[in-house]
Amino acid sequence: TQFLNENIDKNVISIHCKAGKGRTGTLISILLLYLRKVKSAEEALELFGVSRTKNGKGVTIPSQKRYVHYSLTWMQQYHWSGHSIDLSNHHQNYLLFNSLVLNKPLKMNSSPYIKIFIYDHEDHITLKEIFSSQANKKKWSRKANTSYTIDINTLVENDFKVVIYDNHKKICWFWLHTLFLSLKEDNSFTLSLQKDEIDGAIKDTKHKQFDQDFTITIHGTVATNEMIEKYKKNEPIRTNTSNNSS
């Protein structure tokens, strides 16, 4: 922004990615918010969409849209407010991810399982798998159940990616950030994502694979200091439940 403001008429920047829509649109939308050219995340995404494409569909991936909203929240709560805060030591950096529930998951009998990834601590680029329920997956029958619960009980930190697989094929996924999950008074959290908020599932517009009312709900709580210390030492974290699917 400093470079742009030094000469508004001559200084420009170029932002690009593979198609020039998703990642590019995410960054430009955040920049529009940062420069206060727009007042809301929706307005920023819409402005990029109509400026970049003929059909107005710029950023279409739900997780990328989510991070535009995250960025606005950060600007409002920390950057613009003038509040000085050390985000590296924020109490919400580490959360205990207790369970994930697939509600009306698939239209056929299946054996879904999930994997969770975070960025490697060394290069902050490589994704590192920290959890997999593949070894404990069970057959799910739509006739018998309308939901499928996977116990996780794993610590996640900052940005993390959850991927749902079926028959070894990635069928949907989503990114979240621990800092922006809303906590209850007891420091627990519950987040439900609708079908149009889940990457991959949103493309199933004719509901061939996922039910129209398909949702994913995650449950967890803020990690204790003891859990965090064990996590940093790569020691197992004891919880009241073990990893299994039901």
Side-chain angles (χ1 to χ4, degrees), residues 189-246:
F189 67 87
T190 297
L191 174 68
S192 291
L193 298 175
Q194 305 300 313
K195 183 177 179 179
D196 62 358
E197 298 175 305
I198 303 167
D199 306 348
I202 191 175
K203 294 183 177 180
D204 181 30
T205 56
K206 295 184 178 180
H207 317 301
K208 291 183 177 181
Q209 185 173 24
F210 300 96
D211 193 277
Q212 184 175 1
D213 298 324
F214 170 61
T215 62
I216 295 177
T217 303
I218 66 172
H219 302 277
T221 186
V222 171
T224 64
N225 290 332
E226 181 182 0
M227 290 177 180
I228 295 172
E229 288 303 314
K230 288 185 176 181
Y231 171 80
K232 290 180 178 180
K233 295 177 181 178
N234 292 319
E235 296 179 358
I237 299 171
R238 303 288 182 184
T239 57
N240 293 327
T241 56
S242 59
N243 290 337
N244 58 66
S245 303
S246 58

Side-chain angles (χ1 to χ4, degrees), residues 4-210:
L4 291 173
N5 290 329
E6 286 176 354
N7 193 322
I8 297 177
D9 296 323
K10 293 184 178 181
N11 288 359
V12 297
I13 59 174
S14 176
I15 302 174
H16 65 88
C17 58
K18 184 176 181 180
K21 288 178 38 177
R23 287 166 290 179
T24 296
T26 301
L27 286 177
I28 290 177
S29 297
I30 293 171
L31 179 61
L32 290 170
L33 288 166
Y34 188 83
L35 295 174
R36 303 200 185 202
K37 300 295 183 181
V38 291
K39 295 181 179 180
S40 68
E42 291 84 359
E43 187 181 355
L45 290 163
E46 182 180 359
L47 178 57
F48 171 78
V50 297
S51 301
R52 170 65 179 82
T53 65
K54 292 182 180 180
N55 60 7
K57 295 181 179 180
V59 182
T60 58
I61 297 176
S63 289
Q64 292 177 339
K65 290 183 176 181
R66 186 176 302 115
Y67 272 70
V68 175
H69 286 270
Y70 282 171
S71 298
L72 178 59
T73 299
W74 173 80
M75 293 175 205
Q76 292 172 332
Q77 294 185 357
Y78 305 115
H79 182 68
W80 292 334
S81 65
H83 293 162
S84 178
I85 184 169
D86 182 6
L87 295 180
S88 63
N89 291 317
H90 197 280
H91 73 283
Q92 208 170 314
N93 279 349
Y94 297 91
L95 298 179
L96 179 64
F97 195 157
N98 292 132
S99 63
L100 178 146
V101 182
L102 303 174
N103 300 295
K104 294 188 177 181
L106 306 173
K107 288 200 168 184
M108 72 289 286
N109 290 340
S110 58
S111 301
Y113 62 93
I114 74 166
K115 291 184 178 182
I116 302 176
F117 302 86
I118 62 170
Y119 283 114
D120 186 87
H121 293 149
E122 298 297 328
D123 60 19
H124 303 289
I125 298 175
T126 306
L127 285 180
K128 179 177 68 173
E129 179 183 317
I130 60 170
F131 174 84
S132 174
S133 66
Q134 184 174 3
N136 298 314
K137 66 180 180 180
K138 292 183 179 180
K139 196 73 175 178
W140 175 86
S141 172
R142 185 177 175 85
K143 293 182 179 179
N145 301 286
T146 58
S147 65
Y148 186 93
T149 300
I150 301 174
D151 290 331
I152 299 171
N153 298 312
T154 297
L155 253 67
V156 291
E157 58 174 312
N158 301 318
D159 300 291
F160 64 98
K161 181 181 183 180
V162 180
V163 183
I164 294 88
Y165 297 84
D166 185 43
N167 294 323
H168 306 290
K169 180 181 179 181
K170 182 169 69 172
I171 56 174
C172 63
W173 59 97
F174 57 90
W175 282 90
L176 297 172
H177 193 294
T178 58
L179 189 63
F180 300 100
L181 294 176
S182 298
L183 299 179
K184 302 175 185 178
E185 290 185 2
D186 62 355
N187 278 339
S188 67
F189 67 87
T190 297
L191 174 68
S192 291
L193 298 175
Q194 305 300 313
K195 183 177 179 179
D196 62 358
E197 298 175 305
I198 303 167
D199 306 348
I202 191 175
K203 294 183 177 180
D204 181 30
T205 56
K206 295 184 178 180
H207 317 301
K208 291 183 177 181
Q209 185 173 24
F210 300 96

